[in-house]
Amino acid sequence: MLNCVASLQEALFSLHPAGFTRKDSTLKTQLVCLIMVVPESQGELYHPPPDLQRDAHVPDFSSYVGMYKKSLENPEAFWKEVADEFFWKKPATGPMLQYNFDVTKGNIFVKCMEGAKTNMCYNVLDRHVREGNLGEKVAYYWEGNSPEHHTTITYGQMLSSVCRCANVLKRMGVRKGDRVSIYLPMIPELVYTMLACARIGAVHSVVFAGFSSDSLCERIMDAQSSVLVTADGVYRGDKLINLKQISDEALEKSREKGSSSISKCLVIKHQALRMKTGASCNKLQTPWDSERDEWWDEAMSDSSEDCEPEWLDAEDPLFILYTSGSTGKPKGVVHTVAGYLLYTFLTFKCVFDYHHDDVYWCTADIGWITGHSYITYGPLANGATSVLFEGIPVHPHVGRFWEIIEKYKVTKFYTAPTAIRLLMKYGQEPLQKYDLSSLRILGTVGEPINPEAWLWYYKTVGQSRCPVVDTFWQTETGGHVLTPLPAATPLKPGSATFPFFGVEPTILNEHGEEVEGEAEGYLVFRKPWPGIMRTVYENHERFENTYFKKFPGFYVTGDGARRDKDGYFWITGRIDDMLNVSGHLLSTAEVEAALTLHSAVSEAAVVSRPHQVKGECLYCFVTLKDSWEFDKKTVAELKTLVREKIGPIATPDFIQNAPALPKTRSGKIMRRILRQIARNEKDLGDLSTLADPKVVEVLFSQRSKAAA
Ligand code: WTA
């Protein structure tokens, strides 16, 4: 400990306090906090294990401080060193980063390595196979929904499949800049298709395969994709999902809306699913349009393995990924080639302290950003071996995760707090059956992790020898922005700790003023890092309005944060109209819009309520039209409607009858009050702004009848 403090002090003194300008104040505050108070917190800190520190990329806290300082003071040199790892067809002519973060000074923009030409697919595959001799190295251990189904894919095999897929897409008319929608389960072909797009300069738009046909339709229409890649179906646990049928419904809906951009649909025959015998397989529906649809196997069998990569500009788009927006309409977050490559590469390498012989497993679905950055691009950019898992944590038994860790000798494991809380419920017994001694580092992402779950993860899963990296980030940030580094950062359960390299966080109060020291408020970032989003697809105005208007000069995350006396950041949750259910962001407006589609509903308001496993769940207040009765049938219909419109992740947990909603005199619904009613908090504070305070009593009296 003393050593740690001494080296921190050295780092502080090397900072030349006199050299700090006003702009550097966050960095200064940050470092001063870090260095001064670490010893006081001894009791609650979890220190990095010395054996991990021995050959770590960032081996101790003072190395972190030094690198962090360099990343902010000399971003040019810092990122140039990272870029030197990769292949550039043409070098950059501009600086590593250019930007404007201040709406009052003109359009918001971020550019990384202007003038450079490269290709993402070349850098994550060809470079390893051709230059790094990794052709035989395993890229993925694919583990199916059922433990009987698994395969191994090497970098060499993957390059060949990706090139063939790229040629299929080209034959289907896909050109540089065209969008390809991908609606696939967690099978290797999902990664092949993403990289095939990247190879030919097409922009992929992956849609999570748990979304409904309406959600898929909306995302295809917004992106105006020309090709859809899907599968016949998939089992998630015991449940069969007819992906092709859902895809056809989505395409039919887009036709009805007069916007059918898809000319070709490539369909993967899910082999494992076909092997499944018994009645359930007969439920598989594969509607077919012979003009439009092609089977993947047939298309791939006569496709060439030669495909020259398309050399793209550093700032050409790599992909679009939709994320919930507070207006209800999802936003197409756009990430570009060079910056995303540098950032996912470096965060993966440092946050999981990647080494060549690691077996890494991230349990997320590639349909979300975590899968894009930390199953596909980050690990592949490093030449890593990963597990690609199709199933769910409790199928066919509650020890499935632990069984997989033992089977592949997983060294780095990354999952969500919701999964941890779910597995905690089954106690230690399922873990004791398996050998988890291969584990070195544990990670979490997606939502705040409660200290109880953190400690269970650390002690029971990691046997008190694996640091837990609680990584805070967003679809928009492209990669981790607040995160511990496993060999460097003393941990506090529940805190995402400190910023990653190049990231300068600060906390603002309601008036947009920076608050220093111990404080709570809006979490914002002062400047970009290479992996931050560039725009909302085809809607730059929405990009500026959403993230940059509220506090000019800053990127606004939409999350609240607290900085403690030691400078550690604690995310306090969303402070906009968004909910985080099992780590998935949903907008209240989106769910309200689905509820009001029901002919019985005149008005709906949705708030979050804490949930033991999911973190938050949906509590919906509905006001029915006069002649309707609030009964079980209506509640069931409302739940089905939300599932159909958005997907099963948005299924309401509670629906309560609300003869009226609490509103201000100007008619604004007071969600704070609804949240308190949902939580049964009787002390509601000041109700004077309500048009009719009696509404509150009525809602409390109806509360016990809320249908779960
Ligand atoms: C939340 C997921 C606390 C946060 C990568 C953020 C977290 C939203 C954490 C983004 C964490 C993510 N601690 N909250 N470690 N990680 N969040 O776009 O509210 O699906 O704004 O990206 O998840 O969700 P998204």
Side-chain angles (χ1 to χ4, degrees):
M1 187 67 226
L2 275 178
N3 272 348
C4 171
V5 176
S7 56
L8 292 178
Q9 278 170 351
E10 234 167 72
L12 176 68
F13 293 133
S14 73
L15 287 179
H16 265 293
F20 281 111
T21 61
R22 172 78 192 94
K23 268 199 170 162
D24 295 320
S25 68
T26 314
L27 171 62
K28 189 172 135 196
T29 314
Q30 182 90 29
L31 296 173
V32 170
C33 284
L34 285 175
I35 291 155
M36 288 195 325
V37 203
V38 166
E40 278 181 28
S41 312
Q42 257 172 351
E44 50 184 17
L45 289 174
Y46 290 78
H47 289 280
D51 63 333
L52 194 75
Q53 294 186 296
R54 223 160 287 139
D55 62 349
H57 299 298
V58 187
D60 50 41
F61 202 79
S62 62
S63 308
Y64 160 71
V65 173
M67 286 172 76
Y68 180 65
K69 181 175 166 261
K70 178 175 173 187
S71 74
L72 292 193
E73 291 180 351
N74 192 352
E76 188 64 25
F78 185 90
W79 293 111
K80 176 90 184 38
E81 220 170 276
V82 181
D84 285 345
E85 300 272 340
F86 297 102
F87 176 79
W88 305 94
K89 188 78 177 168
K90 263 197 192 168
T93 49
M96 291 304 295
L97 272 174
Q98 299 171 75
Y99 68 98
N100 172 40
F101 253 31
D102 188 344
V103 269
T104 62
K105 294 189 178 142
N107 289 343
I108 302 295
F109 73 87
V110 178
K111 284 186 206 162
C112 177
M113 299 183 72
E114 199 176 24
K117 281 205 180 275
T118 192
N119 183 279
M120 173 63 98
C121 181
Y122 184 91
N123 274 302
V124 304
L125 290 183
D126 308 49
R127 188 174 59 95
H128 297 313
V129 174
R130 300 212 176 120
E131 300 164 25
N133 240 343
L134 296 188
E136 303 290 307
K137 185 174 181 185
V138 174
Y140 292 107
Y141 291 114
W142 179 74
E143 173 82 11
N145 179 61
S146 153
E148 300 144 48
H149 304 136
H150 44 85
T151 65
T152 296
I153 302 137
T154 64
Y155 274 87
Q157 288 165 339
M158 189 142 83
L159 178 58
S160 137
S161 299
V162 166
C163 287
R164 279 161 48 204
C165 177
N167 282 324
V168 171
L169 294 176
K170 280 211 241 176
R171 177 175 57 70
M172 291 180 156
V174 178
R175 297 286 171 264
K176 179 183 161 190
D178 291 349
R179 276 80 53 219
V180 172
S181 287
I182 305 176
Y183 187 63
L184 284 176
M186 289 284 285
I187 51 179
E189 291 85 347
L190 168 52
V191 182
Y192 303 160
T193 311
M194 294 166 87
L195 296 181
C197 289
R199 193 168 191 86
I200 62 174
V203 178
H204 59 69
S205 165
V206 179
V207 179
F208 171 57
F211 272 127
S212 66
S213 61
D214 280 283
S215 297
L216 175 60
C217 167
E218 190 174 21
R219 285 159 176 76
I220 290 174
M221 282 175 57
D222 189 81
Q224 286 291 295
S225 299
S226 58
V227 168
L228 171 65
V229 184
T230 187
D232 45 6
V234 66
Y235 271 94
R236 190 161 293 145
D238 285 325
K239 196 164 167 264
L240 176 68
I241 304 171
N242 278 296
L243 295 172
K244 178 63 166 70
Q245 190 182 30
I246 300 170
S247 297
D248 277 31
E249 283 164 17
L251 296 181
E252 185 52 38
K253 284 174 185 163
S254 71
R255 230 189 328 271
E256 280 164 14
K257 292 179 182 164
S259 171
S260 56
S261 55
I262 299 282
S263 58
K264 283 284 173 193
C265 181
L266 188 57
V267 188
I268 291 147
K269 206 174 266 180
H270 194 306
Q271 297 303 333
L273 186 118
R274 298 281 160 161
M275 281 189 261
K276 190 146 176 142
T277 50
S280 52
C281 196
N282 300 335
K283 292 190 205 139
L284 181 65
Q285 306 285 331
T286 318
W288 204 256
D289 172 343
S290 53
E291 296 273 297
R292 183 195 64 198
D293 302 343
E294 278 187 46
W295 286 111
W296 167 283
D297 282 349
E298 290 168 18
M300 290 281 277
S301 66
D302 47 42
S303 181
S304 154
E305 271 184 26
D306 292 322
C307 178
E308 172 68 10
E310 181 85 34
W311 300 107
L312 300 183
D313 287 332
E315 279 301 324
D316 276 338
L318 175 68
F319 66 83
I320 305 172
L321 182 60
Y322 287 87
T323 182
S324 298
S326 54
T327 58
K329 191 175 156 17
K331 303 180 287 257
V333 170
V334 175
H335 283 286
T336 52
V337 179
Y340 185 78
L341 170 64
L342 302 187
Y343 202 68
T344 52
F345 165 80
L346 191 69
T347 44
F348 179 78
K349 181 175 166 181
C350 298
V351 174
F352 297 109
D353 191 37
Y354 169 69
H355 286 82
H356 186 68
D357 52 356
D358 272 331
V359 177
Y360 159 85
W361 179 23
C362 166
T363 68
D365 192 291
I366 292 180
W368 312 108
I369 191 69
T370 304
H372 279 60
S373 301
Y374 300 113
I375 297 178
T376 304
Y377 292 108
L380 293 179
N382 280 276
T385 297
S386 303
V387 176
L388 183 65
F389 178 49
E390 181 183 50
I392 56 171
V394 292
H395 176 85
H397 56 82
V398 300
R400 188 76 195 278
F401 272 11
W402 323 127
E403 182 181 53
I404 295 174
I405 290 173
E406 177 185 274
K407 178 173 174 185
Y408 297 107
K409 301 198 170 35
V410 171
T411 55
K412 316 280 163 82
F413 178 64
Y414 193 29
T415 194
T418 185
I420 298 167
R421 288 191 295 261
L422 173 73
L423 295 170
M424 257 171 90
K425 287 203 309 192
Y426 302 102
Q428 296 200 10
E429 208 205 324
L431 287 114
Q432 282 161 348
K433 295 190 192 145
Y434 301 98
D435 177 7
L436 305 184
S437 61
S438 58
L439 287 172
R440 292 279 170 274
I441 294 169
L442 303 172
T444 76
V445 56
E447 55 187 306
I449 180 164
N450 47 313
E452 194 195 352
W454 193 101
L455 288 168
W456 188 81
Y457 197 31
Y458 181 78
K459 292 185 176 158
T460 310
V461 181
Q463 295 149 357
S464 299
R465 60 180 160 72
C466 308
V468 173
V469 288
D470 173 359
T471 62
F472 167 83
W473 59 296
Q474 307 178 301
T475 305
E476 294 86 338
T477 67
H480 308 138
V481 282
L482 296 182
T483 178
L485 298 182
T489 315
L491 304 170
K492 292 190 185 189
S495 166
T497 72
F498 302 113
F500 190 72
F501 306 130
V503 174
E504 209 183 326
T506 186
I507 296 179
L508 303 183
N509 66 17
E510 192 54 57
H511 311 292
E513 295 153 351
E514 277 185 64
V515 286
E516 307 215 344
E518 257 186 280
E520 185 167 338
Y522 293 86
L523 176 66
V524 301
F525 296 109
R526 194 196 298 280
K527 54 165 75 138
W529 51 93
I532 191 174
M533 73 183 287
R534 300 300 196 258
T535 189
V536 169
Y537 185 67
E538 300 274 275
N539 199 343
H540 198 69
E541 196 183 340
R542 188 167 179 206
F543 171 62
E544 297 187 336
N545 288 342
T546 310
Y547 306 102
F548 294 94
K549 268 270 159 68
K550 191 172 173 74
F551 300 122
F554 298 96
Y555 166 88
V556 180
T557 58
D559 284 292
R562 180 167 69 78
R563 188 171 38 224
D564 71 14
K565 62 183 182 349
D566 302 342
Y568 280 65
F569 282 92
W570 300 75
I571 303 298
T572 54
R574 300 292 305 188
I575 38 188
D576 49 13
D577 290 337
M578 306 287 267
L579 297 153
N580 193 326
V581 178
S582 300
H584 303 311
L585 272 195
L586 294 168
S587 85
T588 51
E590 195 177 11
V591 181
E592 286 160 8
L595 289 168
T596 46
L597 286 174
H598 193 286
S599 48
V601 175
S602 72
E603 198 168 19
V606 176
V607 295
S608 76
R609 189 182 126 127
H611 185 281
Q612 268 217 318
V613 173
K614 301 187 206 178
E616 290 180 0
C617 70
L618 294 169
Y619 195 108
C620 310
F621 293 87
V622 293
T623 307
L624 299 184
K625 290 176 188 157
D626 277 353
S627 52
W628 286 81
E629 219 180 286
F630 184 83
D631 55 14
K632 279 197 175 133
K633 183 168 163 285
T634 314
V635 169
E637 285 171 6
L638 288 171
K639 286 193 176 183
T640 310
L641 190 60
V642 177
R643 289 172 72 96
E644 275 174 15
K645 288 290 150 196
I646 305 170
I649 46 169
T651 309
D653 283 78
F654 298 91
I655 299 188
Q656 171 174 343
N657 186 22
L661 291 168
K663 291 186 183 173
T664 59
R665 285 184 187 82
S666 61
K668 194 168 162 9
I669 297 174
M670 290 193 65
R671 284 171 200 280
R672 167 182 73 81
I673 293 176
L674 291 176
R675 263 195 295 275
Q676 288 176 297
I677 296 171
R679 289 161 203 214
N680 208 15
E681 291 169 8
K682 294 273 165 46
D683 182 10
L684 294 185
D686 179 17
L687 296 179
S688 60
T689 47
L690 277 184
D692 178 7
K694 280 203 215 77
V695 168
V696 172
E697 268 164 55
V698 178
L699 288 178
F700 268 117
S701 73
Q702 292 283 331
R703 200 182 168 278
S704 59
K705 288 184 235 146

mmCIF file of all heavy atoms in Angstrom, residues 662-667 687-693:
data_model
loop_
_atom_site.group_PDB
_atom_site.id
_atom_site.type_symbol
_atom_site.label_atom_id
_atom_site.label_comp_id
_atom_site.label_asym_id
_atom_site.label_seq_id
_atom_site.Cartn_x
_atom_site.Cartn_y
_atom_site.Cartn_z
ATOM 1 N N PRO A 662 -51.171 11.933 -12.214
ATOM 2 C CA PRO A 662 -50.789 13.186 -11.539
ATOM 3 C C PRO A 662 -50.139 14.158 -12.525
ATOM 4 O O PRO A 662 -49.118 13.832 -13.119
ATOM 5 C CB PRO A 662 -49.758 12.715 -10.494
ATOM 6 C CG PRO A 662 -49.254 11.406 -10.990
ATOM 7 C CD PRO A 662 -50.297 10.804 -11.869
ATOM 8 N N LYS A 663 -50.790 15.319 -12.706
ATOM 9 C CA LYS A 663 -50.260 16.267 -13.690
ATOM 10 C C LYS A 663 -50.087 17.645 -13.082
ATOM 11 O O LYS A 663 -50.803 18.014 -12.151
ATOM 12 C CB LYS A 663 -51.232 16.378 -14.870
ATOM 13 C CG LYS A 663 -51.278 15.112 -15.688
ATOM 14 C CD LYS A 663 -52.126 15.269 -16.918
ATOM 15 C CE LYS A 663 -52.184 13.938 -17.637
ATOM 16 N NZ LYS A 663 -53.095 13.915 -18.737
ATOM 17 N N THR A 664 -49.181 18.385 -13.662
ATOM 18 C CA THR A 664 -49.031 19.782 -13.252
ATOM 19 C C THR A 664 -50.183 20.573 -13.887
ATOM 20 O O THR A 664 -50.880 20.056 -14.771
ATOM 21 C CB THR A 664 -47.711 20.378 -13.773
ATOM 22 O OG1 THR A 664 -47.742 20.276 -15.199
ATOM 23 C CG2 THR A 664 -46.501 19.634 -13.250
ATOM 24 N N ARG A 665 -50.288 21.833 -13.518
ATOM 25 C CA ARG A 665 -51.379 22.637 -14.097
ATOM 26 C C ARG A 665 -51.193 22.804 -15.601
ATOM 27 O O ARG A 665 -52.148 22.972 -16.342
ATOM 28 C CB ARG A 665 -51.466 24.001 -13.404
ATOM 29 C CG ARG A 665 -52.081 23.846 -12.035
ATOM 30 C CD ARG A 665 -52.302 25.141 -11.307
ATOM 31 N NE ARG A 665 -52.731 24.813 -9.953
ATOM 32 C CZ ARG A 665 -51.907 24.496 -8.975
ATOM 33 N NH1 ARG A 665 -50.607 24.512 -9.181
ATOM 34 N NH2 ARG A 665 -52.361 24.172 -7.791
ATOM 35 N N SER A 666 -49.966 22.728 -16.032
ATOM 36 C CA SER A 666 -49.758 22.850 -17.487
ATOM 37 C C SER A 666 -49.891 21.497 -18.200
ATOM 38 O O SER A 666 -49.627 21.388 -19.394
ATOM 39 C CB SER A 666 -48.384 23.457 -17.765
ATOM 40 O OG SER A 666 -47.395 22.609 -17.227
ATOM 41 N N GLY A 667 -50.284 20.457 -17.438
ATOM 42 C CA GLY A 667 -50.602 19.181 -18.080
ATOM 43 C C GLY A 667 -49.439 18.208 -18.192
ATOM 44 O O GLY A 667 -49.539 17.171 -18.845
ATOM 45 N N LEU A 687 -46.469 18.528 -3.057
ATOM 46 C CA LEU A 687 -47.407 18.191 -4.134
ATOM 47 C C LEU A 687 -48.117 19.439 -4.672
ATOM 48 O O LEU A 687 -49.087 19.346 -5.415
ATOM 49 C CB LEU A 687 -48.458 17.190 -3.632
ATOM 50 C CG LEU A 687 -47.911 15.824 -3.208
ATOM 51 C CD1 LEU A 687 -49.033 14.925 -2.716
ATOM 52 C CD2 LEU A 687 -47.185 15.145 -4.358
ATOM 53 N N SER A 688 -47.604 20.596 -4.285
ATOM 54 C CA SER A 688 -48.351 21.823 -4.591
ATOM 55 C C SER A 688 -48.439 22.121 -6.086
ATOM 56 O O SER A 688 -49.336 22.827 -6.523
ATOM 57 C CB SER A 688 -47.727 23.006 -3.853
ATOM 58 O OG SER A 688 -46.391 23.126 -4.289
ATOM 59 N N THR A 689 -47.528 21.560 -6.859
ATOM 60 C CA THR A 689 -47.595 21.864 -8.291
ATOM 61 C C THR A 689 -48.638 21.005 -9.010
ATOM 62 O O THR A 689 -48.904 21.195 -10.194
ATOM 63 C CB THR A 689 -46.232 21.639 -8.980
ATOM 64 O OG1 THR A 689 -45.743 20.380 -8.550
ATOM 65 C CG2 THR A 689 -45.244 22.721 -8.641
ATOM 66 N N LEU A 690 -49.220 20.036 -8.281
ATOM 67 C CA LEU A 690 -50.212 19.160 -8.936
ATOM 68 C C LEU A 690 -51.532 19.898 -9.177
ATOM 69 O O LEU A 690 -52.016 20.630 -8.311
ATOM 70 C CB LEU A 690 -50.513 17.958 -8.046
ATOM 71 C CG LEU A 690 -49.562 16.771 -8.118
ATOM 72 C CD1 LEU A 690 -50.067 15.645 -7.240
ATOM 73 C CD2 LEU A 690 -49.415 16.296 -9.559
ATOM 74 N N ALA A 691 -52.119 19.649 -10.321
ATOM 75 C CA ALA A 691 -53.412 20.258 -10.629
ATOM 76 C C ALA A 691 -54.469 19.704 -9.680
ATOM 77 O O ALA A 691 -55.333 20.419 -9.183
ATOM 78 C CB ALA A 691 -53.775 19.973 -12.079
ATOM 79 N N ASP A 692 -54.405 18.392 -9.401
ATOM 80 C CA ASP A 692 -55.392 17.769 -8.533
ATOM 81 C C ASP A 692 -54.695 16.767 -7.600
ATOM 82 O O ASP A 692 -54.507 15.598 -7.951
ATOM 83 C CB ASP A 692 -56.436 17.044 -9.403
ATOM 84 C CG ASP A 692 -57.458 16.335 -8.532
ATOM 85 O OD1 ASP A 692 -57.437 16.525 -7.293
ATOM 86 O OD2 ASP A 692 -58.270 15.569 -9.103
ATOM 87 N N PRO A 693 -54.307 17.200 -6.388
ATOM 88 C CA PRO A 693 -53.539 16.321 -5.492
ATOM 89 C C PRO A 693 -54.294 15.056 -5.085
ATOM 90 O O PRO A 693 -53.681 14.072 -4.680
ATOM 91 C CB PRO A 693 -53.257 17.211 -4.277
ATOM 92 C CG PRO A 693 -53.474 18.600 -4.748
ATOM 93 C CD PRO A 693 -54.487 18.532 -5.838
#
